[in-house]
Amino acid sequence: MSAQGSSPIINPDVYLNYLSPDAASNYELNRNISLVTLGALIWDMLSSIPNDYRLIRTGRPSVVLFAYFLARPSVLAMVILAVLQKTGPVSKCTLVALILVAFQVISSAAASFLFLKRIHAVYYGSKIIRHIFSFLWIVGVGTSCAVFSSTLHDYREIANTKHCVRQEGWTALSIAFMDPVLFDTLVYFAIVYKILSAHRKGQKKDWRIFCCGSGLPHFSRAVFQGGQQYYLITTGANLMRFVFSAMPSASPTLQVMFSTPAVTLTSIMACRVHRNLLIGDLDEACMGNGQLAKPVIGNGRIVNVSLPPETKS
């Protein structure tokens, strides 16, 4: 970013004076979005304290429970650093950006892992399907780690004001932002196919089943509707993030404007849907005619996931 022409800076203490009008406008907009995101995240975390306490009190240690509580503080740390990065003072812009990206990767990985466990539950009897989606999850985490390479050269301090600005765009950034959309799409439709195929036998096809989960048993409907809420909301946010990152005319600041809100919304929805599923009355869950009771959703609870008998691959 360059200063406004060659004219002298009237007030050198105001960091926005060192940016062009468009760059300063984008910077302020990005800062305001980060502040709103922080407020929404704090509200969500405070409102879910009773349910989080219930999960800790009633559940046993598990990988899924660890992922749930890893996603919460990591996304909070990411948003706080994003706000600090745009409000200052920050003396080492690159270091702060690297730590921010690290928390972003951790939060995204934990949130997508919670969604991954849903397909592990639904396809409990098929090792091949579970291994394929586990591999895709690992690929997604690796792709998100690619953002580190660009962060080393993207950020610089605005003059000597101890405020940071993104100065360079990265063409491969859109690839890292598109991967969550593809992964969530595959997981969502795989779950929908399995649930609907398990219940439509001998039943009249109805669009309300696909749209709302009407007619499904309690647990199936909870998995179906929860996945639907997560997919629709997070995909919309991640698609917006991808579109802005892929815009060739967008400034470097504008390219990542929706990165922090998208990751935050993904984490909030993943934790909320997972929390609601565990806290709900799952003891009465049933699916189809067959019965299959396995500890497939974490938190140490045995959840009755009833699926038609299936040969293990």
Side-chain angles (χ1 to χ4, degrees):
M1 302 295 177
S2 60
Q4 300 178 12
S6 58
S7 59
I9 302 298
I10 298 177
N11 188 352
D13 295 330
V14 179
Y15 60 94
L16 292 178
N17 287 337
Y18 293 91
L19 304 177
S20 66
D22 290 340
S25 177
N26 291 337
Y27 191 95
E28 285 191 304
L29 180 59
N30 200 347
R31 179 193 61 199
N32 294 338
I33 290 177
S34 297
L35 288 171
V36 172
T37 302
L38 178 61
L41 177 62
I42 292 176
W43 174 83
D44 176 77
M45 297 185 73
L46 291 177
S47 63
S48 62
I49 286 178
N51 290 333
D52 288 344
Y53 173 74
R54 184 178 176 185
L55 291 180
I56 297 175
R57 183 172 55 87
T58 60
R60 295 196 301 268
S62 66
V63 176
V64 180
L65 187 64
F66 174 77
Y68 174 86
F69 285 104
L70 178 63
R72 308 290 276 170
S74 59
V75 73
L76 178 61
M78 181 202 70
V79 178
I80 291 176
L81 287 175
V83 171
L84 179 63
Q85 195 179 48
K86 299 171 183 64
T87 57
V90 176
S91 57
K92 296 182 179 180
C93 295
T94 301
L95 178 61
V96 172
L98 286 173
I99 298 176
L100 187 153
V101 171
F103 281 118
Q104 177 178 311
V105 171
I106 293 173
S107 175
S108 299
S112 60
F113 182 80
L114 294 177
F115 202 40
L116 173 69
K117 296 308 292 182
R118 286 174 166 261
I119 202 164
H120 283 183
V122 176
Y123 286 89
Y124 187 85
S126 178
K127 290 184 178 179
I128 294 179
I129 299 296
R130 288 187 284 119
H131 290 338
I132 288 176
F133 279 94
S134 296
F135 173 75
L136 292 176
W137 176 79
I138 295 174
V139 171
V141 175
T143 303
S144 62
C145 290
V147 181
F148 280 104
S149 61
S150 68
T151 307
L152 292 172
H153 310 287
D154 279 359
Y155 291 88
R156 68 171 178 85
E157 185 179 354
I158 304 175
N160 294 316
T161 61
K162 295 188 181 300
H163 286 80
C164 304
V165 66
R166 188 170 184 259
Q167 61 179 350
E168 296 181 9
W170 188 47
T171 55
L173 187 66
S174 57
I175 300 177
F177 287 172
M178 189 61 188
D179 182 82
V181 178
L182 298 177
F183 177 78
D184 290 346
T185 299
L186 291 175
V187 172
Y188 172 70
F189 282 102
I191 292 175
V192 169
Y193 170 78
K194 187 66 174 180
I195 291 178
L196 295 184
S197 62
H199 293 286
R200 67 187 179 188
K201 296 179 180 179
Q203 297 182 6
K204 183 179 179 180
K205 295 182 180 180
D206 194 338
W207 64 271
R208 288 175 297 182
I209 298 179
F210 180 79
C211 295
C212 309
S214 302
L216 296 177
H218 174 74
F219 181 76
S220 300
R221 187 170 60 255
V223 173
F224 181 86
Q225 292 179 341
Q228 195 175 52
Q229 294 170 5
Y230 172 86
Y231 175 74
L232 293 177
I233 295 177
T234 60
T235 299
N238 285 317
L239 278 177
M240 183 177 296
R241 178 176 69 156
F242 167 75
V243 169
F244 274 82
S245 66
M247 290 173 58
S249 59
S251 65
T253 300
L254 197 61
Q255 286 182 338
V256 296
M257 181 175 297
F258 291 98
S259 179
T260 298
V263 175
T264 303
L265 187 58
T266 299
S267 178
I268 289 176
M269 288 303 302
C271 292
R272 178 177 293 272
V273 168
H274 180 76
R275 182 173 61 246
N276 291 343
L277 182 63
L278 288 181
I279 291 179
D281 186 12
L282 303 181
D283 295 332
E284 298 178 1
C286 62
M287 182 187 297
N289 297 322
Q291 293 292 330
L292 174 63
K294 298 289 183 180
V296 292
I297 301 289
N299 199 29
R301 289 188 58 181
I302 296 181
V303 178
N304 294 325
V305 181
S306 305
L307 292 173
E310 177 176 336
T311 305
K312 292 186 178 182
S313 304

